[in-house]
Amino acid sequence: MQTTVSARQGGWSMFSLSIALAVAVLFFMVGLAMYPGYYEAFAIRKGINSLAEDSSIGVMAKPTIWRLLEKRFDMSGLYSFTPTKDDLVVEYDKKTSKKRIALEYDYRAPLFYNISIVMHFKHEIQVDGP
């Protein structure tokens, strides 16, 4: 009869299991806090990219472009969104005859207590100018 008994069994101790669980919960909370920001960024990118399909966008002014974006955001289900009218940049490049429409903003989401997650997004298209 052959008996091999290890003096100590391998496995997770209660301490190491609790540390692993705490790290998993932390990553879950961070992912949960970041999801709305990425959902919003996807809808905003979709709205910006849809502007390129409009043939008259090259001659429109900044307030008109912002109103078009707001309508597209409403259609996407974004009734309260992070970027503001001041975050919209409309520039015309005389060399290339292109108009650059960019929306650059920060999304902040509270994680717990006084700790927040900050995500930076930049959406940009170039269209033919006037």
Side-chain angles (χ1 to χ4, degrees):
M1 185 164 161
Q2 192 177 24
T3 59
T4 56
V5 178
S6 64
R8 212 175 146 176
Q9 299 240 344
W12 290 63
S13 68
M14 190 58 124
F15 179 73
S16 62
L17 183 63
S18 63
I19 294 295
L21 185 63
V23 169
V25 165
L26 178 69
F27 280 124
F28 179 75
M29 288 178 64
V30 168
L32 206 59
M34 291 173 73
Y35 176 76
Y38 281 110
Y39 179 79
E40 178 182 86
F42 177 74
I44 289 171
R45 180 179 303 269
K46 186 177 171 185
I48 293 268
N49 289 341
S50 71
L51 287 177
E53 298 170 3
D54 192 349
S55 60
S56 63
I57 198 73
V59 295
M60 290 184 185
K62 183 178 174 178
T64 309
I65 293 173
W66 180 252
R67 281 194 300 275
L68 284 175
L69 277 175
E70 283 182 322
K71 288 178 185 177
R72 284 169 168 80
F73 297 160
D74 284 343
M75 288 189 294
S76 295
L78 288 179
Y79 301 111
S80 62
F81 40 88
T82 305
T84 63
K85 192 184 309 184
D86 298 330
D87 296 326
L88 182 67
V89 176
V90 178
E91 296 174 339
Y92 179 70
D93 187 9
K94 291 182 181 180
K95 287 182 185 177
T96 61
S97 298
K98 297 272 186 184
K99 183 181 266 191
R100 182 178 80 94
I101 301 170
L103 193 58
E104 190 170 354
Y105 63 97
D106 290 332
Y107 179 85
R108 297 178 190 274
L111 189 57
F112 50 86
Y113 298 111
N114 62 347
I115 299 174
S116 296
I117 294 173
V118 178
M119 296 180 286
H120 182 78
F121 294 104
K122 182 178 181 180
H123 311 290
E124 179 178 331
I125 61 168
Q126 288 189 355
V127 295
D128 292 329

